[in-house]
């Protein structure tokens, strides 16, 4: 959505309008699209690795809803995490700011947390970029290739130029591009 409204704001406007007898169909549609968009990355992961992810490990870079906050309400990371776990996967996450919030929301068995982005990627089947933190913009792709079990990146924020990632020998899955 090109709106400056965040999902929680859209929900609040819809709820307030409904309380006043108004049906805001466009905003209701925006809310449905926003919710569906959170599953696109999960669908790509399942498409690449299959529905049964037992024995697989995924690194999530970015747990917060957006950069520069620890807010995990409405965060796509939660949908992805819960979808991966429901399919049997182990998930290890890293976020520059939201680690304490993640510890509050999830047990260590639900979401392991790493001290650094590279530590999260260590021995993971794939790296999943969920929040567009500046710290994630220029990783060492060669180093990632060596630490990932399967050199694969699912870039939910299109942070990387696909050709550059592929030249480094990693498989790249972005959103809305080849």
């Amino acid at each position: 959505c090109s709106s400056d409204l965040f999902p929680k704001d859209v929900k609040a406007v819809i709820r307030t309008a409904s309380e006043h007898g108004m049906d805001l169909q466009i905003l209701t549609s925006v809310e449905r699209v926003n919710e569906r968009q959170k599953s696109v990355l999960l669908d790509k992961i399942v498409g690449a690795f299959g529905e049964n992810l037992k024995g697989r490990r995924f690194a999530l870079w970015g747990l917060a809803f957006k950069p520069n906050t620890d807010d995990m309400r409405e965060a796509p990371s939660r949908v992805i995490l819960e979808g991966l776990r429901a399919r049997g996967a182990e998930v290890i996450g890293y976020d520059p700011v939201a680690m304490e919030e993640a510890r509050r929301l999830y047990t260590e068995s639900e979401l392991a947390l790493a001290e650094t982005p590279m530590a999260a990627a260590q021995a993971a089947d794939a790296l999943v970029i969920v929040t567009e933190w500046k710290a994630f913009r220029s990783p060492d792709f060669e180093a990632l290739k060596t630490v990932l079990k399967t050199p694969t990146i699912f870039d939910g924020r299109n942070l990387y130029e696909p050709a550059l990632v592929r030249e480094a020998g990693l498989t790249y899955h972005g959103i809305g591009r080849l």
Side-chain angles (χ1 to χ4, degrees):
C1 168
S2 61
S3 165
D4 288 334
L5 293 176
F6 292 113
K8 63 183 181 278
D9 300 326
V10 172
K11 287 180 186 200
V13 170
I14 291 169
R15 185 175 46 253
T16 300
S18 178
E19 288 168 1
H20 291 87
M22 298 172 67
D23 180 16
L24 300 181
Q25 293 179 16
I26 290 175
L27 277 187
T28 303
S29 295
V30 166
E31 181 182 24
R32 274 196 308 274
V33 169
N34 284 346
E35 286 303 312
R36 177 66 195 117
Q37 196 62 32
K38 292 178 187 179
S39 297
V40 169
L41 208 51
L42 180 61
D43 294 345
K44 286 182 174 279
I45 295 165
V46 169
F49 288 97
E51 190 69 37
N52 181 355
L53 299 174
K54 190 167 177 60
R56 300 269 188 193
R57 178 182 174 134
F58 294 90
L60 293 186
W61 281 7
L63 303 171
F65 169 73
K66 63 179 184 162
N68 305 314
T69 183
D70 68 349
D71 189 353
M72 290 180 62
R73 292 173 297 165
E74 307 289 336
S77 64
R78 298 183 72 179
V79 172
I80 294 165
L81 163 66
E82 291 161 16
L84 292 171
R85 298 255 323 126
R87 290 167 175 83
E90 176 186 346
V91 181
I92 183 162
Y94 175 80
D95 189 283
V97 176
M99 300 290 269
E100 284 306 313
E101 181 65 2
R103 282 185 188 95
R104 189 181 74 72
L105 294 170
Y106 296 102
T107 66
E108 184 72 18
S109 65
E110 292 170 323
L111 173 64
L113 296 171
E115 293 297 318
T116 66
M118 281 307 229
Q122 184 71 44
D125 287 283
L127 169 60
V128 184
I129 309 293
V130 187
T131 311
E132 64 272 22
W133 287 96
K134 285 182 184 176
F136 303 153
R137 290 194 184 274
S138 301
D140 181 339
F141 291 120
E142 293 296 331
L144 275 172
K145 182 181 173 188
T146 63
V147 301
L148 288 166
K149 189 186 312 180
T150 308
T152 304
I153 296 177
F154 292 90
D155 183 357
R157 298 323 230 165
N158 288 337
L159 288 183
Y160 311 131
E161 184 56 44
L164 184 66
V165 177
R166 290 182 182 118
E167 283 172 18
L170 292 116
T171 301
Y172 178 83
H173 303 271
I175 300 292
R177 58 166 136 161
L178 301 174

